[in-house]
Amino acid sequence: MDEADGPKANEAGGGAGKDRDTAVSERRFRFLVAGYAVSSYGTFLNMVALNLFVYETTGRALAMGLFMAVRLASGFVAGLVVGGLLARFSAKSIMLWANVGQGSVMLVLILAPESLVTGALMAVSVVIGACGTLFMVALRSSIPEMVGEDRRAWANSLSITGRSLAMVAGFASAGVVVSLVGYTAAFLLDMATFVVCAVTVALLPIAGGKGATSAAGASDTGKAGKSEKAEKSGPRWRPVAFLALAAAPGLGLMVALRGVDAFGSSSHNAALPIYSTSLDASNPAVFVSAFWCVWALGNIGAQQVIQRYAQRTGRSVGALGFGYGTVVMSAAFIAAFAGFPLAVTAVIALIAGAADGLTEVAYTSHLQTLPATLRGHAFGLSATFENLGFGVGMILVAAALDRFTPLAVVGWSHGAAIVVAVVFLLRVAGLRRAERTGRVGLRKEEAVEGRPDRGDRDGAEVSRG
């Protein structure tokens, strides 16, 4: 952050050069986020348009469930292999081909004859699910190389803001686009968004992946070199992936909490249409749309606060922010189904969105403190846990909503997330107490070793060799 805020008095020349490099990297990252936001709009547009098309084509609600299940399963598998891919290929190539793959499969769906539409839809669900995970993991794991360690909270917040805006635009416009111009035009628009993102990625120099690993190996030919060789050996990708969770105290519990949080998210996503119908059976989409719009406003507002906090203090919100944010977010989603007046529910949705934004930045920034050789594996396993939690949740929640009220189902699901979050917070507090105890008797310079300006020394950093 010091470089971004301006040169120090005793390093005017070097500081000015760092400022210029920081400005260039941030400008490039803004362009990348713009392309990512465009493709995210296409992703959220096709979530609605494709589900409607599946139902209209097959006439069965079960087909929509199968389509979503295949999509989530593809993301699950992609999360397991993406760490190994990042050890072999650059992040830029993975991000580029992920968008090319999504755009290409949409073209296949558009051109498919009627007899092959069902097969094309299954291909779309596989490719969209897998490529979406590949792109997301490649982007998040490479942010420290793109913008620098001290700017990762800012970069995460910016990318989440772009995705939140795209989500609102995608969900809000999907019904209008389909009703006005039809499915084919909607799919063409979707394909165009992936083309725009692919062109953006192709034109920008993007660090990360194989390049980041090679750089680490060049600076440290000992352990880093051995780690790189281990990652390049195909059969060892699974042990390396789980090593990413074992590398730092509490990190496995953090990823597990993320999976439980995804389980809770499945409950409010499934329950919102039912709850909205109970409020206004003649027009249930109004409450759902309004809820997500207010949620997005809270999310975007939180990103602005986080960006300014990081710029002013040079600190990130850290693992504690993730734990507390999860508790607040889950409690807010439970309260949203408690039957409060609409004005109160709007405030609750705003709080849920803000807390969701906080947890997203805190979680992503914390995993990015891992060494480059482990970071991709950690993000990949995280994506796997998230897809697993959401997929299992959708199955269990759908069955539970036939027998219980939305408030009860959401309360149980998000209540589980609150319980795990409390355990996680206690774990982080214990690690910090142990760290403070271990520092007693050390010299002052030893006590502050390891970049205290980050504000996130709560377990994710491991030895970099």
Side-chain angles (χ1 to χ4, degrees):
M1 281 300 298
D2 291 333
E3 294 86 347
D5 295 335
K8 295 183 178 65
N10 62 351
E11 52 175 9
K18 290 179 180 178
D19 282 344
R20 284 193 297 272
D21 291 343
T22 299
V24 170
S25 64
E26 289 182 2
R27 185 163 55 249
R28 289 170 176 169
F29 189 76
R30 285 190 177 95
F31 280 114
L32 177 60
V33 169
Y36 169 53
V38 171
S39 69
S40 295
Y41 168 78
T43 298
F44 291 113
L45 172 67
N46 77 28
M47 283 183 69
V48 178
L50 282 172
N51 280 336
L52 292 173
F53 184 68
V54 168
Y55 184 71
E56 185 173 303
T57 302
T58 64
R60 301 181 64 188
L62 179 62
M64 288 195 300
L66 178 61
F67 180 85
M68 180 60 71
V70 172
R71 186 168 178 165
L72 290 171
S74 301
F76 177 93
V77 175
L80 291 175
V81 303
V82 65
L85 292 176
L86 283 168
R88 294 168 171 79
F89 306 101
S90 68
K92 176 174 180 173
S93 63
I94 292 175
M95 294 163 67
L96 175 63
W97 287 107
N99 279 284
V100 170
Q102 291 177 92
S104 299
V105 79
M106 293 308 300
L107 181 62
V108 169
L109 177 61
I110 294 168
L111 299 178
E114 188 174 350
S115 59
L116 297 178
V117 166
T118 301
L121 283 170
M122 285 298 104
V124 167
S125 64
V126 170
V127 175
I128 294 291
C131 289
T133 297
L134 293 176
F135 182 92
M136 180 66 72
V137 173
L139 172 64
R140 290 182 173 180
S141 63
S142 302
I143 281 177
E145 283 76 40
M146 293 186 205
V147 300
E149 290 281 349
D150 295 328
R151 295 295 279 163
R152 67 185 191 277
W154 167 83
N156 292 328
S157 182
L158 185 66
S159 65
I160 293 166
T161 298
R163 192 185 66 186
S164 297
L165 290 171
M167 186 192 77
V168 175
F171 283 159
S173 65
V176 177
V177 170
V178 170
S179 61
L180 291 181
V181 298
Y183 289 111
T184 300
F187 296 156
L188 282 171
L189 176 60
D190 189 18
M191 182 184 70
T193 65
F194 295 122
V195 172
V196 169
C197 189
V199 171
T200 303
V201 172
L203 294 178
L204 292 174
I206 297 173
K210 181 181 178 181
T213 304
S214 299
S219 61
D220 185 359
T221 56
K223 290 185 180 180
K226 294 178 181 178
S227 178
E228 184 178 351
K229 290 179 181 178
E231 288 184 4
K232 287 185 177 180
S233 59
R236 295 195 60 185
W237 66 267
R238 289 177 188 268
V240 171
F242 287 99
L243 176 63
L245 296 186
L251 189 60
L253 181 59
M254 192 177 195
V255 173
L257 174 56
R258 188 70 171 175
V260 177
D261 178 36
F263 179 86
S265 296
S266 68
S267 68
H268 65 248
N269 276 280
L272 263 176
I274 298 173
Y275 183 70
S276 182
T277 302
S278 69
L279 295 177
D280 184 2
S282 62
N283 200 356
V286 172
F287 178 82
V288 175
S289 299
F291 183 91
W292 286 121
C293 285
V294 176
W295 174 92
L297 289 175
N299 193 296
I300 294 168
Q303 303 311 322
Q304 300 306 308
V305 173
I306 291 170
Q307 288 182 38
R308 284 162 175 75
Y309 171 78
Q311 187 172 14
R312 188 179 69 253
T313 66
R315 299 166 65 91
S316 65
V317 289
L320 283 176
F322 171 66
Y324 287 121
T326 301
V327 172
V328 174
M329 175 187 63
S330 296
F333 273 120
I334 294 171
F337 292 87
F340 292 110
L342 292 180
V344 177
T345 302
V347 174
I348 292 171
L350 196 71
I351 294 172
D356 207 351
L358 173 66
T359 60
E360 188 83 8
V361 174
Y363 180 77
T364 304
S365 298
H366 195 71
L367 261 63
Q368 286 166 350
T369 61
L370 286 166
T373 51
L374 296 177
R375 198 184 305 137
H377 295 289
F379 274 106
L381 278 178
S382 173
T384 295
F385 273 84
E386 291 174 49
N387 280 298
L388 178 63
F390 193 84
V392 171
M394 289 299 290
I395 296 172
L396 297 181
V397 164
L401 284 170
D402 286 338
R403 300 185 58 187
F404 302 100
T405 65
L407 176 60
V409 174
V410 174
W412 297 337
S413 302
H414 275 292
I418 291 174
V419 170
V420 179
V422 170
V423 174
F424 171 74
L425 288 169
L426 293 173
R427 170 65 169 158
V428 171
L431 289 171
R432 290 192 166 188
R433 282 196 301 270
E435 186 178 7
R436 284 195 297 268
T437 302
R439 288 179 177 180
V440 174
L442 294 177
R443 293 175 301 169
K444 183 178 180 180
E445 60 270 21
E446 292 174 333
V448 298
E449 183 183 4
R451 302 292 303 281
D453 57 296
R454 283 188 191 171
D456 58 3
R457 288 193 55 79
D458 40 24
E461 294 86 348
V462 298
S463 172
R464 297 172 189 261

Short mmCIF file of all heavy atoms in Angstrom, two decimals, residues 102 137 190 395 433-434:
data_model
loop_
_atom_site.label_atom_id
_atom_site.label_comp_id
_atom_site.label_asym_id
_atom_site.label_seq_id
_atom_site.Cartn_x
_atom_site.Cartn_y
_atom_site.Cartn_z
N GLN A 102 -16.69 -21.40 -23.32
CA GLN A 102 -18.07 -21.03 -23.04
C GLN A 102 -18.74 -20.40 -24.25
O GLN A 102 -19.91 -20.70 -24.56
CB GLN A 102 -18.12 -20.08 -21.84
CG GLN A 102 -17.73 -20.76 -20.53
CD GLN A 102 -17.72 -19.80 -19.36
OE1 GLN A 102 -18.72 -19.65 -18.66
NE2 GLN A 102 -16.59 -19.15 -19.13
N VAL A 137 -11.02 -19.45 -10.45
CA VAL A 137 -9.85 -19.84 -9.67
C VAL A 137 -8.58 -19.23 -10.25
O VAL A 137 -7.72 -18.73 -9.51
CB VAL A 137 -9.73 -21.38 -9.61
CG1 VAL A 137 -8.41 -21.79 -8.95
CG2 VAL A 137 -10.90 -21.96 -8.83
N ASP A 190 -25.31 -13.81 -25.00
CA ASP A 190 -24.49 -14.52 -24.02
C ASP A 190 -23.14 -14.89 -24.61
O ASP A 190 -22.09 -14.67 -23.99
CB ASP A 190 -25.25 -15.78 -23.57
CG ASP A 190 -24.57 -16.46 -22.41
OD1 ASP A 190 -23.76 -15.83 -21.73
OD2 ASP A 190 -24.88 -17.65 -22.18
N ILE A 395 -30.52 -30.13 -3.14
CA ILE A 395 -31.29 -31.38 -3.06
C ILE A 395 -32.04 -31.48 -1.74
O ILE A 395 -33.25 -31.74 -1.70
CB ILE A 395 -30.34 -32.59 -3.24
CG1 ILE A 395 -29.71 -32.57 -4.64
CG2 ILE A 395 -31.10 -33.88 -3.02
CD1 ILE A 395 -28.62 -33.61 -4.83
N ARG A 433 -3.75 -16.00 20.17
CA ARG A 433 -3.21 -16.04 21.53
C ARG A 433 -1.90 -16.81 21.57
O ARG A 433 -0.94 -16.40 22.23
CB ARG A 433 -4.22 -16.67 22.48
CG ARG A 433 -5.36 -15.75 22.89
CD ARG A 433 -6.10 -16.31 24.10
NE ARG A 433 -6.65 -17.63 23.83
CZ ARG A 433 -7.86 -17.84 23.34
NH1 ARG A 433 -8.65 -16.80 23.04
NH2 ARG A 433 -8.31 -19.06 23.12
N ALA A 434 -1.87 -17.94 20.85
CA ALA A 434 -0.64 -18.74 20.82
C ALA A 434 0.49 -17.96 20.15
O ALA A 434 1.65 -18.04 20.59
CB ALA A 434 -0.89 -20.04 20.06
#
